[in-house]
Amino acid sequence: MLSTLQPPRSLSHFRTNPTLLLRYTSLKPLSSLSSQPVIHSTITDQPQSPNPLPHSQILSTRHSLLSRHLTATQLADSFLARLRLTEPHLRSFLHVSDSVLAQARELDEKIQRNEELGPLAGVLVAVKDNICTAEMPSTAGSRVLEGYTPPYDATAVRKIKELGGIVVGKTNLDEFGMGSTTEGSAFQVTANPWDVSRVPGGSSGGSAAAVSARQCMVSLGSDTGGSVRQPASFCGVVGLKPTYGRVSRFGLMAYASSLDVIGCFGMSVADAGILLYAISGHDRLDASSSKREVPNLEAEFVSISSLDSKPLKGLRIGLIRETLDDGVDTGVTSAVRNAALHLEELGCFVNEVSLPSFSLGLPAYYILASSESSSNLSRYDGVRYGNQVPADELNSQYKDSRAKGFGSEVKRRILTGTYALSAGYYDANYKRAQQVRTIIRKSFKAALDEHDILISPAAPSAAYKIGEKKNDPLAMYAGDIMTVNVNLAGLPALVLPCGFVEGGSAGLPVGLQMIGAAFDEGKLLKVGHIFEQTLQNCNFVPPLIADEVTS
Amino acid sequence: MASTIFRSLHTNPCLLHPTALLRRKMSFSATPDKVKPQVKVAPNIQNKTLEKASKDYEAVIGIETHVQLNTLTKAFCSCPYNYGSPPNTSVCPVCMGLPGALPVLNMKVIESAIKVGLSLNCKLSFNSKFDRKQYFYPDLPKGYQISQFDVPIATGGYIDVDLPLEYGGGHRKFGITRVHMEEDAGKLLHSEGGSYSQESYERLRFTLSLFWILFVYFMQVDLNRAGVPLLEIVSEPDMRTGIEAAEYAAELQRLVRYLGVSNGNMQEGSLRCDVNISVRPIGHIEFGTKVEIKNLNSFSSVSRAIDYEISRQVLLHSQGEDKEIVQETRLWEEGAQKTITMRKKEGLADYRYFPEPDLPGVFLTQDYVGGIRNTLPELPETKRRRYEKMGLSMQDVLFLANDVNVAEFFDTTITKGADVKLATNWIMGDIAAYMKNEKLTINEIKLSPKELAELIASIKDGTISGKIGKEILFELLAKGGTVKGLIEEKDLIVDPAEIEKMVEKVVSDNPKQLEQYRGGKTKLQGYFAGQVMKLSKGKANPGLLNKILLEKLNAKS
C-alpha cells in the first residue's frame, strides 16, 4: 500500500533553508534567529535517517533548556514564526497569545538564576477554545460567546501553567464541539496541513492542525464522541482520549457532560502521554473526576534501543471486526490490518473480536449527547454574559439571543435533545439510549477481559474535502462510528498515525485507534510508543510546512 | 385573567363591602395569641348562605414547603450565603452558571436532608440521585435547577401536630409524601432596589403590563441566593382547614429549628409555603379542581389565605359555578386580604427532567445514617409528650415546646433539680414577660437555668420570701449573677437570735392578738409573721421566722 504513495517530505527542507522563512514573516525576533541556525535544528530535531523516529518535543525542550543549548525565547520565537507563516493557510487559531515571548523571557531569567523548572517549562501548548483561559477569550467557536473572556483558568490549563507550560493561543473548533470537521465554527474554517483543501477533522480540528503543522508543541482538545481522535487521525498526529474522570472537566464548556473529556495532542505518543500526566488527577472542583491515583505515565516510555525483538510478546490484541465492515474505506482497512501485522511482529497475539452492540453506539450517542447538550447550552441566554439581543419582552430576548448566537448544527442538536427529553418521549429515547450505553459498556468490558487492547480505525476514512459533508449531517454523524462507543463506555483510547491513503500532495495519514481498559492509559502509551518507534517507512510531517517554504 | 377577577368580585359578596373587610382585619389583630403568636384565626364567613353551604363541603389541602438550609456554604459551590448581603457579592463561576463551571455537592446538604427525613418518619432512599429541572428564567443562571425528581432522598413519612387550644386543640397526624434536595434560584431586582420573587414579578407583569417595557429595562438579577440549598417537603393532601395548614407549617418550622438545619424564618424566605387547595362536597371521594396559592409570608397568611380560598371555592360550588374554579396559581394579597389569579396553567409544564450528569449518585450507608440518627435531638412531638407525662397542662406544654431554646432552658432548669410546675410558672410568667418587654430571646437574658433552679429551691426551702425571690429574679434577668450572691447583697437576716428578738417584740406588742391566737384563732399566725417581716424590712429568713414564731406562739408562758 505504501508503495503507491509519495514519500512524505521531511522537515529537512525547511531546516536547510532558514533564510526562506524570513521572507514570509516580518517578525522582529526572527531576524536575530537567522544568525543562530542552531535553533532551526531544534524546531523538529528530526534525525536525517530515512525513517525519522518520532521523538518527544517536550523532553527535548527540557533537555535544550537545561543544557543551555537553547533559550526558551529562541524556542518560542521559532514556533511563533512558523505559526505566523502557516496560519493564513490553516486558520487553526481563534486567538494567539501576545504574552508568549514575555513568558519565555521570564523563564529564561529563571534558568539564569538556576531556579527549578517545572516539567513543562517552555513547552508551547495550544488550547481548544472551549477550554477556559483567564487571560484569553474563550468562545467555544460560538457567536453567543464572541468576545467572552472567562474569569478563571480551566483546571487542565492551570496545571499546565503551574508546571511551566506556555499557552500559545486558542484553537478553532466546531461550535461547542459539535461537529467532525471544524467547519461548524462560527468564525473560520480550519484547513488540514496535509492538504489545505481538506478538513482537519473535528471538533478539535484547530488543536490537531496546530500540532501537525508544528505551530505549537502539544495541544489540548476535548473528546465527546471522537473529537480528539478523529482529527488526530486526519492530521497525522497522536491523539489521546483519557478515561472519563481521569482529567478534570472544570473549565471545559460542557457539551455532553457524561461523555466529555479533555484530551491531548502531540507529535509523538510520549508528548501526548506527558501532557496527559501533567493534567490528570482528581479535582475537587469536578465531582466526576476520579480519585484514583495517577501512575507515572512517563515511566512507560522505554527507548527502542533497550528493547528486544519482540518487545510486546504475549500482549493480547483484539481487532474489532465491526470496524472493518462495509462503509470503511479500503485504504483505511488495509492500513489498520498492516498495523495489526506490525503488532504481531512485535510479539502481540492479534485476533478479531466481535462487539455485536457496536452499531448501536451511534444512535445512542446522538440521543444522549444531544439531550445533555440541550440542557448544558441553556445557560447561554444572553442574561449574564455573552451576546444579548435586547428585546422588549423577556421571551423575545431569549429567542433572539439564542437564534442569533447559535449556529445551525448547535440548534439541530438542541432541538433533537429537547425532543428526546420531552414528556412522553423520554422512555423511548433517552432512557433507551442509556440502556444501550450499559450494554455497550458491558460488551467492552467483556472484550477487554479477554484482550489487553482493542484496535480499530479512528475514522472510516481519511480527511475529506472541505464542504463535502457540510450539508449532510447524517453522513457526518456516520463518520463518528469508530469513536463514539469508546465515549459511551468511558474508556481511554490512543490514536496514532499508522499509514497513508492516497490524497493530497503527500498522501493522507490514517490513524490507528487503540482502546484500553478504564484508567489503563499506561498500557496504551507503552504499546503506542513502541509501535511508533518501530513503524517503518512512515514520516508523519505534513507537506504544508515544506510547501510554504518552497512555493 | 382580568375577567376572572371581575367575576370573582361579583360572586364573592363580602369583597364588595370594604367595611366588612376592615372588621375582619381588626378581628385578626385583636386575637390574643399567647401560645402561638404566628397563627391567627381566620375570618368567619359572614355570608349566611355561604356559612350554610360550607357545612356541605370540605376542603382538601396539601402544602409544598421550601426550607432553606443554613449550611455555611451553598449547595454546589463554596460561596457563603448571608441574607441581605449587597446584590451579587456572594457569587462565583459555579453559582453564576459561567461556561465550564461544575457543581460539587456540599455533603452537609445530605446530612440535613437525612435529619429532616428521619425526623419526619420517612423511608430514606439509600440510592438516590440529582436531576435537572429545565426552564428558562433570568433568576436561574444555568437554565436548569439541580433538583431531585423520581428518586427523592426521603418518602412516605408523617408529622404529628398539636393544634392550639384556642382553636379547639386536638392532635393531628399529617402525611409527608416526599422530601427532596434542590438549589434555590436568584432574585430579580427592580432598579429602585425592591426585590422580586418569581411570583411577585409575575404579578407585576400582570398588573403593570403597560409598563412592561420599562420594567424589563430596569430588571436586574441578584444571584446571591442562587445555589443556596433547599429541602422541598411535600405533604399529603391531609389538611382540611387554614388552621391545620398553618399549624402544619409551624410544626415544620419548629422541627427544622430543633434540628438546627434552618432558621425557618418566613419573612426572609427561609421557609416558604405553597398551598394546594380544592373543595369537594362532603362524601365525595374525587378531588375538586386544585388551585395553588403562593406569596404566603407568615403562618397567619397561610391560614387566612386558605380560609379565603375555601370560601371563594365553596361559594362558586354552591352557586353551581364550580366550572369557574380552574387550575391556576393564585397570589395572596396581604393588603386586600384576598387571593388573585397570577397565572393559569397552560397544560402541564414539561421540565424535561433527566439525571444530572455532573454529580455522582447519592449513596448512603446504614452506618452513615445510623450515625446521624444517633445525633438527632429530642423532637418537638417527643418533647410535648414528655412534658405532658410530667403533669403539665397542654397550654404549658405547647408554650414550652414551641421554641427549642425555651424548651432547652426549661429542661436544664429541671435537670438542676427545680420543681416542674414552679419552673414552668416562672418561665411562662415573669421570664416570658421580661423577654417580651425587652425584646430578648431566652438565650439573650442573663439568667441561667442553674440560677433559676437555685432561686426556686431557695423560695421552696424558705431561705427567701416569694417577694424577695421576684426581686432577685429581675436582677438576675437584667444583670446576671448568682442567687447566693444576691441574697448576701440583700443582707438578709438569717441569725435565729436576731429573728427571735423581733418575734418576741411583735408578740409582746400584740397581747390581744396573742390571746385570740391561743384561744384557737391560729389563722393569726400570718398576721404575726407579717408584722415580724415588716419589722425586719422584709429581710428576715421566712423559714426561720415561721419556725421561731410558732415556737413562741405555742409556748406556754
Side-chain angles (χ1 to χ4, degrees):
Chain A
M1 186 191 78
L2 288 174
S3 59
T4 64
L5 294 171
Q6 275 184 289
R9 289 173 221 199
S10 87
L11 277 178
S12 52
H13 295 287
F14 185 58
R15 192 164 57 232
T16 50
N17 298 304
T19 48
L20 282 172
L21 192 68
L22 292 173
R23 257 194 262 150
Y24 291 85
T25 173
S26 57
L27 265 183
K28 260 265 162 79
L30 203 69
S31 54
S32 63
L33 286 185
S34 61
S35 60
Q36 302 170 22
V38 63
I39 287 142
H40 297 282
S41 69
T42 64
I43 289 168
T44 57
D45 215 9
Q46 300 274 359
Q48 293 284 4
S49 69
N51 299 314
L53 295 177
H55 71 303
S56 167
Q57 182 70 54
I58 295 178
L59 293 179
S60 69
T61 296
R62 186 169 179 77
H63 180 75
S64 305
L65 293 180
L66 286 177
S67 64
R68 315 276 169 109
H69 182 55
L70 276 172
T71 66
T73 314
Q74 288 169 326
L75 268 168
D77 257 336
S78 70
F79 273 87
L80 281 178
R82 191 165 38 247
L83 192 155
R84 283 170 208 281
L85 189 68
T86 51
E87 189 55 16
H89 304 273
L90 293 181
R91 297 163 69 76
S92 44
F93 282 86
L94 289 174
H95 178 88
V96 178
S97 168
D98 50 17
S99 69
V100 173
L101 285 174
Q103 290 178 65
R105 274 193 292 271
E106 217 171 282
L107 178 60
D108 284 331
E109 284 164 19
K110 261 181 145 182
I111 295 169
Q112 289 261 298
R113 294 194 298 265
N114 283 318
E115 284 179 34
E116 207 172 309
L117 297 188
L120 294 183
V123 173
L124 300 165
V125 188
V127 174
K128 191 178 179 180
D129 203 37
N130 61 349
I131 300 173
C132 290
T133 45
E135 284 132 26
M136 281 178 253
S138 303
T139 67
S142 180
R143 291 264 175 234
V144 89
L145 284 177
E146 194 170 2
Y148 171 75
T149 300
Y152 69 95
D153 276 327
T155 300
V157 172
R158 178 180 57 78
K159 286 188 168 186
I160 287 171
K161 286 183 173 175
E162 282 170 4
L163 297 177
I166 298 171
V167 178
V168 184
K170 304 302 292 290
T171 56
N172 197 23
L173 69 160
D174 290 294
E175 190 175 356
F176 287 105
M178 299 179 186
S180 311
T181 62
T182 315
E183 294 164 288
S185 166
F187 304 109
Q188 63 198 40
V189 174
T190 297
N192 189 317
W194 290 83
D195 176 353
V196 292
S197 70
R198 290 174 191 269
V199 298
S203 64
S204 313
S207 286
V211 169
S212 175
R214 277 63 173 169
Q215 294 179 311
C216 60
M217 297 177 188
V218 287
S219 64
L220 292 182
S222 68
D223 191 316
T224 306
S227 286
V228 162
R229 290 160 289 157
Q230 182 254 25
S233 174
F234 280 19
C235 293
V237 296
V238 175
L240 176 55
K241 175 224 174 277
T243 312
Y244 184 82
R246 175 103 285 179
V247 178
S248 168
R249 290 186 294 120
F250 189 78
L252 168 65
M253 297 179 189
Y255 157 21
S257 313
S258 74
L259 301 162
D260 292 343
V261 292
I262 289 180
C264 306
F265 290 99
M267 297 169 217
S268 65
V269 171
D271 279 349
I274 293 168
L275 183 60
L276 174 68
Y277 184 59
I279 62 173
S280 290
H282 177 69
D283 179 8
R284 58 178 188 82
L285 297 174
D286 176 6
S288 64
S289 69
S290 170
K291 290 198 168 120
R292 236 174 231 256
E293 212 176 302
V294 184
N296 184 0
L297 298 173
E298 292 178 40
E300 304 291 351
F301 306 122
V302 186
S303 168
I304 185 80
S305 54
S306 62
L307 296 173
D308 59 26
S309 59
K310 302 267 183 211
L312 296 176
K313 198 168 181 193
L315 201 78
R316 299 158 305 164
I317 304 272
L319 176 56
I320 303 172
R321 186 178 301 145
E322 286 78 7
T323 64
L324 302 171
D325 279 349
D326 297 345
V328 182
D329 284 6
T330 50
V332 170
T333 316
S334 57
V336 170
R337 286 201 185 280
N338 282 339
L341 288 176
H342 180 59
L343 284 165
E344 274 185 336
E345 282 164 19
L346 292 169
C348 296
F349 176 73
V350 182
N351 69 347
E352 283 197 7
V353 58
S354 176
L355 291 174
S357 60
F358 197 82
S359 63
L360 300 177
L362 207 55
Y365 166 80
Y366 273 97
I367 284 174
L368 294 176
S370 299
S371 296
E372 291 185 23
S373 73
S374 75
S375 174
N376 284 327
L377 270 59
S378 295
R379 65 184 61 194
Y380 305 106
D381 55 10
V383 172
R384 285 144 294 128
Y385 48 80
N387 278 340
Q388 183 185 83
V389 179
D392 291 346
E393 202 259 330
L394 185 62
N395 277 334
S396 307
Q397 184 183 304
Y398 278 133
K399 222 163 66 186
D400 298 349
S401 297
R402 289 167 68 81
K404 295 218 169 90
F406 291 138
S408 60
E409 183 58 32
V410 170
K411 284 177 191 158
R412 183 166 17 246
R413 295 196 194 189
I414 290 175
L415 285 172
T416 309
T418 304
Y419 174 79
L421 290 176
S422 293
Y425 299 92
Y426 180 89
D427 286 357
N429 293 299
Y430 184 85
K431 203 171 162 192
R432 197 136 165 254
Q434 284 291 22
Q435 288 162 346
V436 168
R437 185 175 187 173
T438 306
I439 292 170
I440 288 168
R441 197 177 276 152
K442 281 181 181 159
S443 73
F444 266 104
K445 175 88 174 58
L448 283 163
D449 284 344
E450 302 289 315
H451 301 87
D452 293 289
I453 282 173
L454 304 176
I455 59 171
S456 79
S461 72
Y464 40 86
K465 294 279 186 182
I466 289 169
E468 195 177 323
K469 295 188 183 176
K470 200 168 182 232
N471 297 316
D472 189 354
L474 283 181
M476 186 106 78
Y477 295 174
D480 298 337
I481 180 75
M482 301 298 173
T483 46
V484 291
N485 282 284
V486 177
N487 296 80
L488 290 170
L491 299 174
L494 177 72
V495 164
L496 68 169
C498 68
F500 292 89
V501 296
E502 234 172 300
S505 61
L508 298 169
V510 173
L512 171 72
Q513 175 173 236
M514 297 181 177
I515 304 161
F519 298 101
D520 201 2
E521 285 86 358
K523 194 182 281 170
L524 293 176
L525 292 169
K526 181 185 170 189
V527 175
H529 185 64
I530 291 170
F531 182 95
E532 74 178 358
Q533 286 184 95
T534 51
L535 192 65
Q536 300 295 305
N537 303 318
C538 287
N539 180 10
F540 295 100
V541 177
L544 175 80
I545 311 166
D547 283 353
E548 285 310 311
V549 176
T550 51
S551 63
Chain B
M1 270 194 286
S3 66
T4 317
I5 296 281
F6 185 67
R7 223 169 285 141
S8 70
L9 279 171
H10 274 276
T11 52
N12 204 336
C14 61
L15 289 175
L16 295 174
H17 302 290
T19 48
L21 199 66
L22 193 67
R23 230 180 304 141
R24 273 193 334 192
K25 273 174 85 177
M26 285 169 67
S27 76
F28 306 145
S29 50
T31 309
D33 207 351
K34 209 171 154 194
V35 174
K36 301 257 155 34
Q38 313 94 326
V39 181
K40 288 181 179 161
V41 77
N44 283 322
I45 294 129
Q46 304 193 342
N47 189 301
K48 275 264 165 78
T49 51
L50 187 58
E51 205 167 298
K52 188 170 168 290
S54 63
K55 286 190 182 113
D56 302 330
Y57 295 91
E58 74 170 348
V60 176
I61 303 159
I63 300 186
E64 279 174 26
T65 311
H66 287 91
V67 175
Q68 210 174 61
L69 298 177
N70 59 1
T71 49
L72 289 177
T73 55
K74 293 185 183 182
F76 302 111
C77 62
S78 54
C79 292
Y81 175 65
N82 296 306
Y83 178 80
S85 303
N88 297 315
T89 54
S90 197
V91 292
C92 73
V94 176
C95 56
M96 283 195 290
L98 293 193
L102 296 170
V104 177
L105 178 64
N106 177 350
M107 285 307 287
K108 282 278 172 197
V109 176
I110 302 275
E111 196 184 310
S112 300
I114 293 173
K115 281 182 180 172
V116 170
L118 290 173
S119 306
L120 290 172
N121 310 291
C122 289
K123 186 174 169 288
L124 293 183
S125 308
F126 279 76
N127 194 348
S128 76
K129 63 184 168 81
F130 284 97
D131 300 280
R132 290 184 183 177
K133 177 182 181 177
Q134 313 194 59
Y135 62 94
F136 284 101
Y137 208 70
D139 65 6
L140 190 70
K142 299 188 292 295
Y144 55 83
Q145 178 194 31
I146 302 179
S147 181
Q148 291 195 291
F149 178 49
D150 51 345
V151 194
I153 187 126
T155 51
Y158 60 86
I159 189 166
D160 290 287
V161 170
D162 285 302
L163 295 183
L165 296 174
E166 57 269 44
Y167 305 125
H171 184 265
R172 300 279 190 284
K173 201 180 268 283
F174 299 127
I176 300 290
T177 313
R178 57 184 280 162
V179 178
H180 75 247
M181 305 173 278
E182 60 184 31
E183 58 177 339
D184 212 338
K187 280 180 187 166
L188 292 186
L189 300 175
H190 195 258
S191 61
E192 284 168 352
S195 80
Y196 292 93
S197 58
Q198 185 171 347
E199 298 90 78
S200 47
Y201 165 79
E202 291 274 351
R203 182 184 53 198
L204 251 156
R205 183 177 166 182
F206 163 67
T207 48
L208 302 179
S209 54
L210 282 174
F211 303 107
W212 172 238
I213 292 168
L214 241 139
F215 183 62
V216 166
Y217 184 74
F218 288 119
M219 195 168 71
Q220 291 176 307
V221 189
D222 173 13
L223 294 177
N224 280 348
R225 203 180 64 176
V228 170
L230 297 176
L231 290 185
E232 181 175 321
I233 302 168
V234 182
S235 83
E236 289 289 304
D238 287 351
M239 287 147 266
R240 295 292 172 265
T241 65
I243 286 298
E244 285 187 353
E247 197 47 45
Y248 164 84
E251 184 68 12
L252 277 186
Q253 183 190 58
R254 231 168 268 137
L255 189 81
V256 296
R257 286 179 174 173
Y258 266 61
L259 292 171
V261 299
S262 169
N263 68 25
N265 191 325
M266 282 187 101
Q267 292 302 319
E268 292 176 9
S270 306
L271 189 124
R272 308 196 278 271
C273 293
D274 297 339
V275 168
N276 282 298
I277 172 165
S278 65
V279 156
R280 65 182 170 192
I282 283 174
H284 278 222
I285 296 162
E286 256 176 56
F287 292 138
T289 304
K290 184 174 71 175
V291 167
E292 188 182 21
I293 312 176
K294 285 178 178 279
N295 200 30
L296 301 168
N297 297 322
S298 66
F299 297 125
S300 69
S301 58
V302 168
S303 166
R304 281 175 286 141
I306 288 173
D307 287 336
Y308 173 88
E309 186 60 22
I310 292 173
S311 67
R312 187 185 74 90
Q313 292 188 22
V314 164
L315 200 70
L316 288 171
H317 266 285
S318 66
Q319 293 173 343
E321 290 179 31
D322 52 320
K323 287 211 171 61
E324 298 297 323
I325 304 169
V326 291
Q327 199 173 336
E328 62 178 343
T329 301
R330 297 178 71 87
L331 282 178
W332 174 243
E333 287 274 17
E334 196 67 54
Q337 293 286 303
K338 61 176 188 172
T339 64
I340 59 157
T341 298
M342 177 175 119
R343 58 169 175 235
K344 311 243 177 198
K345 290 262 152 81
E346 292 152 1
L348 267 176
D350 185 356
Y351 292 118
R352 304 191 312 282
Y353 281 100
F354 78 105
E356 166 59 277
D358 287 331
L359 292 168
V362 179
F363 303 109
L364 308 180
T365 62
Q366 290 286 358
D367 278 359
Y368 180 66
V369 173
I372 292 173
R373 195 191 297 271
N374 290 337
T375 63
L376 286 183
E378 185 180 40
L379 298 171
E381 170 67 7
T382 325
K383 216 173 256 297
R384 288 193 298 260
R385 299 288 80 85
R386 181 163 65 82
Y387 288 172
E388 234 181 349
K389 278 191 194 137
M390 286 161 74
L392 294 175
S393 75
M394 203 54 191
Q395 179 95 0
D396 296 350
V397 167
L398 293 182
F399 179 92
L400 291 173
N402 182 47
D403 181 333
V404 62
N405 296 318
V406 172
E408 264 169 28
F409 191 95
F410 172 73
D411 284 341
T412 317
T413 309
I414 299 306
T415 318
K416 300 285 176 197
D419 177 87
V420 170
K421 189 60 197 166
L422 290 175
T424 308
N425 290 346
W426 281 105
I427 292 171
M428 288 179 64
D430 291 321
I431 296 175
Y434 176 82
M435 281 158 49
K436 199 179 170 191
N437 289 338
E438 303 292 320
K439 295 192 171 61
L440 294 173
T441 68
I442 201 150
N443 293 344
E444 288 162 340
I445 60 174
K446 302 260 167 63
L447 171 74
S448 70
K450 180 170 168 277
E451 292 309 314
L452 178 60
E454 182 77 31
L455 183 70
I456 291 168
S458 300
I459 297 168
K460 208 177 175 187
D461 71 11
T463 310
I464 50 170
S465 65
K467 188 163 161 274
I468 293 287
K470 217 167 220 189
E471 274 175 30
I472 289 179
L473 177 81
F474 283 110
E475 283 178 46
L476 289 172
L477 285 168
K479 295 184 218 140
T482 63
V483 175
K484 280 210 172 80
L486 286 169
I487 290 176
E488 270 171 36
E489 265 178 43
K490 285 193 177 302
D491 201 17
L492 296 180
I493 302 161
V494 289
D495 178 4
E498 202 176 327
I499 291 171
E500 196 173 348
K501 267 185 212 158
M502 288 189 276
V503 169
E504 278 170 354
K505 185 174 187 307
V506 167
V507 170
S508 59
D509 285 355
N510 295 283
K512 205 173 147 195
Q513 283 83 354
L514 182 64
E515 200 175 312
Q516 284 175 343
Y517 178 90
R518 290 193 175 150
K521 207 170 174 185
T522 53
K523 268 199 286 184
L524 277 171
Q525 187 205 336
Y527 169 77
F528 284 104
Q531 290 302 309
V532 178
M533 202 50 104
K534 200 174 163 190
L535 190 64
S536 74
K537 297 190 178 103
K539 289 183 175 176
N541 177 319
L544 273 176
L545 185 154
N546 278 315
K547 189 168 159 263
I548 295 165
L549 179 64
L550 269 180
E551 279 169 15
K552 292 288 171 199
L553 290 175
N554 296 337
K556 300 277 184 268
S557 57

PDB file of all heavy atoms in Angstrom, chain B residues 125 244 320 462 482:
ATOM      1  N   SER B 125     -34.082   6.942  50.835  1.00  0.00           N
ATOM      2  CA  SER B 125     -33.576   6.262  49.638  1.00  0.00           C
ATOM      3  C   SER B 125     -32.062   6.151  49.795  1.00  0.00           C
ATOM      4  O   SER B 125     -31.370   7.157  49.792  1.00  0.00           O
ATOM      5  CB  SER B 125     -33.891   7.069  48.382  1.00  0.00           C
ATOM      6  OG  SER B 125     -35.248   7.401  48.333  1.00  0.00           O
ATOM      7  N   GLU B 244     -55.253  24.088  60.446  1.00  0.00           N
ATOM      8  CA  GLU B 244     -54.472  22.855  60.344  1.00  0.00           C
ATOM      9  C   GLU B 244     -53.237  23.076  59.477  1.00  0.00           C
ATOM     10  O   GLU B 244     -52.138  22.641  59.807  1.00  0.00           O
ATOM     11  CB  GLU B 244     -55.321  21.729  59.747  1.00  0.00           C
ATOM     12  CG  GLU B 244     -56.333  21.157  60.718  1.00  0.00           C
ATOM     13  CD  GLU B 244     -57.057  19.922  60.165  1.00  0.00           C
ATOM     14  OE1 GLU B 244     -56.866  19.600  58.966  1.00  0.00           O
ATOM     15  OE2 GLU B 244     -57.795  19.298  60.933  1.00  0.00           O
ATOM     16  N   GLY B 320     -73.417  26.681  41.901  1.00  0.00           N
ATOM     17  CA  GLY B 320     -73.399  25.897  40.658  1.00  0.00           C
ATOM     18  C   GLY B 320     -72.414  26.418  39.635  1.00  0.00           C
ATOM     19  O   GLY B 320     -72.503  26.122  38.453  1.00  0.00           O
ATOM     20  N   GLY B 462     -37.568  28.148 101.995  1.00  0.00           N
ATOM     21  CA  GLY B 462     -37.807  29.232 102.932  1.00  0.00           C
ATOM     22  C   GLY B 462     -36.622  30.133 103.182  1.00  0.00           C
ATOM     23  O   GLY B 462     -36.651  30.978 104.072  1.00  0.00           O
ATOM     24  N   THR B 482     -25.421  35.428  90.833  1.00  0.00           N
ATOM     25  CA  THR B 482     -25.930  34.189  91.411  1.00  0.00           C
ATOM     26  C   THR B 482     -26.957  34.519  92.496  1.00  0.00           C
ATOM     27  O   THR B 482     -26.943  35.604  93.084  1.00  0.00           O
ATOM     28  CB  THR B 482     -24.792  33.365  92.053  1.00  0.00           C
ATOM     29  OG1 THR B 482     -24.243  34.137  93.123  1.00  0.00           O
ATOM     30  CG2 THR B 482     -23.702  33.045  91.042  1.00  0.00           C
TER      31      THR B 482
END
